[in-house]
Amino acid sequence: KPNDVVAKVALQRVQTAQAIATNLAAGNAALTAKKWADAEKAFGEVLKVDPRNADAKEGLQRAKDKR
């Protein structure tokens, strides 16, 4: 059914957006806690699904600069 495909794509987009938001929040929390490796990992996860995400790029660079 065409609607099933549309629903699956929509669900995947929502799940991706949620994963990005969750990992950005985790990365920022790790930066605040000075857990640089955890921050790098979280921001890296964002960049796997959204390689152009400016917030993740900036956070990753901040974490690397602090190491």
Side-chain angles (χ1 to χ4, degrees):
K1 298 178 184 178
N3 288 340
D4 288 346
V5 172
V6 171
K8 285 179 184 178
V9 169
L11 179 60
Q12 185 177 26
R13 286 185 181 154
V14 168
Q15 289 171 332
T16 299
Q18 288 175 333
I20 289 170
T22 298
N23 281 302
L24 283 174
N28 286 318
L31 284 177
T32 300
K34 298 181 181 179
K35 295 183 177 182
W36 315 126
D38 290 348
E40 287 182 31
K41 181 178 178 187
F43 292 126
E45 289 299 314
V46 173
L47 293 171
K48 283 182 186 176
V49 294
D50 184 6
R52 294 165 40 157
N53 187 293
D55 292 329
K57 286 181 181 181
E58 180 184 332
L60 181 60
Q61 191 59 54
R62 286 175 51 205
K64 287 182 175 182
D65 288 347
K66 297 289 185 178
R67 274 194 151 202

